[in-house]
Amino acid sequence: MLKTTTSSVDGREISDYLDIVVGEAILGANVFKDFFAGIRDIVGGRSGAYEKEMGKARKIAFSEMEEQARELGADGIVGIDIDYEVVGKEGGMMMVSVSGTAVKFK
């Protein structure tokens, strides 16, 4: 499925705007505990373990969004927005949310 953050696709004409589609994934507090316990993993200001978990959450969110688009019969998703939010008591969880517009191309 074609996915883009832009509102159009060069060389493709959108025939139908089907609906807004979304996907969300929340990382639990244990990820943060593991992250801080593994602080030694940080090299150059980055944590490979934390980035890996965020990548998993992003893949889950995109997969949910794509599944909704497929159910609508979409050929693609345009105008995708990716958001990261801290949620839960004392900011103990991180949410990855993606949204876009499911479309059909001519």
Side-chain angles (χ1 to χ4, degrees), residues 35-77:
F35 166 66
F36 289 118
I39 201 81
R40 66 188 174 278
D41 185 36
I42 295 177
V43 177
R46 296 177 63 173
S47 169
Y50 188 64
E51 289 175 356
K52 183 177 176 182
E53 290 301 312
M54 290 299 293
K56 284 183 194 176
R58 193 171 43 252
K59 284 181 183 180
I60 291 167
F62 265 93
S63 178
E64 287 181 2
M65 181 179 65
E66 287 178 47
E67 181 58 31
Q68 285 181 15
R70 272 191 218 94
E71 289 173 4
L72 294 170
D75 300 320
I77 305 169

Side-chain angles (χ1 to χ4, degrees), residues 9-10 51 58 71 80 91-92 97-98:
V9 178
D10 286 345
E51 289 175 356
R58 193 171 43 252
E71 289 173 4
I80 294 175
S97 175
V98 294

